[in-house]
Amino acid sequence: MLPEVKRILDGEFPGIDIRLSSDYSPVLAKALMRRRLDAAFMRPEENMGDLASKRVRTDPLIFVFPSDHRLASQKTVAPEAVVNETFYLPSKSAPAVRRAVLEYFSRAGIDLKPDHEVHNVVHAISMITSTRGVMLLPAYTKRYLPKTITTRPVQGEVPTLDLILAYHKANNSPMLKLLLSKVGKLVGAPRRRLLEPHIGSFQANQRWVLLQVLSKNIRDEPSRMIVLRQDMRAKPIPLC
């Protein structure tokens, strides 16, 4: 997604310098509300306050468990099938994923009793491997799993999570307006595990990406900061 963002920004604002960093969705929302950032690719928060957003895409959730687990013999997994399994819930550091999981099992009429909570993908891999547990995670996590862990689609109603481009309602940044007008192109942009080197220096295992766009004689615009989400590894990889 970020290569396409850079192409869009370069086309209108040539010479911009993009620098990358990372953070969790709730932190990004607070930064947007305080006008410290122009925009963020993130999950919807329950209280968006003065923030507005455009939906970029919808990600399905999938069941994750050891490759030799009994559920691996099934093409799809029903929520009832995990009732007696060791089940792990995303922690409050990933509120959108946690909420989606809890609401899904509630709609299915299942009183979920998770054994523990996990804070990131690395933690999830460790717990699933060591205890033969089961989780319901966003489909993007599939690309980070070792061969000892597999996934299956949800049977019936599939729980989903929206990815949004969020921004402050009072923000009139020309770069933000440009991104908002090109959201459709971002939806169709290819997903890449790593970003090309020419886009900017960054740690290859970051997932939440902070683009600091430094204007260089662009209509005397002040320096802007734009936060964008890219499906890349993080240290640790957030469950967002």
Side-chain angles (χ1 to χ4, degrees):
M1 187 181 296
L2 286 181
E4 180 64 17
V5 169
K6 183 179 187 299
R7 189 193 67 77
I8 291 172
L9 292 176
D10 273 342
E12 185 72 19
F13 304 105
I16 60 173
D17 180 22
I18 299 178
R19 300 179 183 180
L20 312 178
S21 184
S22 66
D23 224 321
Y24 285 89
S25 179
V27 177
L28 300 181
K30 289 180 181 180
L32 288 170
M33 291 179 186
R34 295 170 182 170
R35 304 293 301 277
R36 293 178 180 175
L37 304 170
D38 274 339
F41 283 112
M42 53 183 279
R43 302 297 185 185
E45 293 290 300
E46 284 191 298
N47 181 15
M48 295 289 283
D50 292 327
L51 302 185
S53 67
K54 274 196 172 184
R55 186 178 66 84
V56 177
R57 68 168 186 254
T58 299
D59 298 324
L61 270 63
I62 55 177
F63 281 110
V64 182
F65 41 78
S67 298
D68 60 351
H69 195 281
R70 68 174 185 84
L71 295 175
S73 63
Q74 303 181 25
K75 291 184 178 180
T76 59
V77 176
E80 297 83 4
V82 304
V83 170
N84 295 319
E85 298 291 337
T86 299
F87 192 88
Y88 295 105
L89 185 69
S91 71
K92 293 180 180 179
S93 63
V97 183
R98 180 188 179 92
R99 186 167 58 251
V101 172
L102 290 173
E103 290 178 353
Y104 168 69
F105 280 102
S106 177
R107 290 194 301 272
I110 296 174
D111 183 16
L112 189 64
K113 293 182 172 59
D115 292 78
H116 296 284
E117 297 182 351
V118 299
H119 306 296
N120 52 67
V121 176
V122 174
H123 188 196
I125 291 173
S126 175
M127 297 303 290
I128 291 171
T129 301
S130 60
T131 67
R132 301 185 58 75
V134 178
M135 287 196 72
L136 192 59
L137 295 174
Y140 80 84
T141 58
K142 184 176 182 178
R143 72 188 66 186
Y144 306 121
L145 302 177
K147 293 182 179 179
T148 55
I149 295 179
T150 191
T151 67
R152 290 293 184 275
V154 174
Q155 187 179 107
E157 177 203 350
V158 178
T160 59
L161 274 175
D162 284 342
L163 173 66
I164 62 172
L165 177 58
Y167 57 95
H168 197 284
K169 295 175 182 177
N171 193 329
N172 294 314
S173 163
M175 282 183 275
L176 171 61
K177 290 181 179 179
L178 177 63
L179 281 178
L180 291 174
S181 69
K182 303 294 185 180
V183 166
K185 290 188 176 182
L186 297 179
V187 175
R191 299 186 187 184
R192 305 181 186 184
R193 293 188 65 169
L194 297 178
L195 212 57
E196 290 89 337
H198 71 268
I199 291 182
S201 60
F202 65 101
Q203 288 187 327
N205 59 358
Q206 289 178 334
R207 183 167 180 279
W208 283 102
V209 180
L210 170 68
L211 272 73
Q212 183 174 11
V213 181
L214 304 178
S215 302
K216 293 182 177 179
N217 300 319
I218 303 176
R219 304 184 188 130
D220 296 322
E221 272 286 303
S223 295
R224 297 283 187 177
M225 297 188 73
I226 300 179
V227 177
L228 301 171
R229 176 185 182 277
Q230 172 74 2
D231 288 331
M232 296 188 296
R233 294 177 184 248
K235 188 185 285 184
I237 307 165
L239 287 174
C240 53

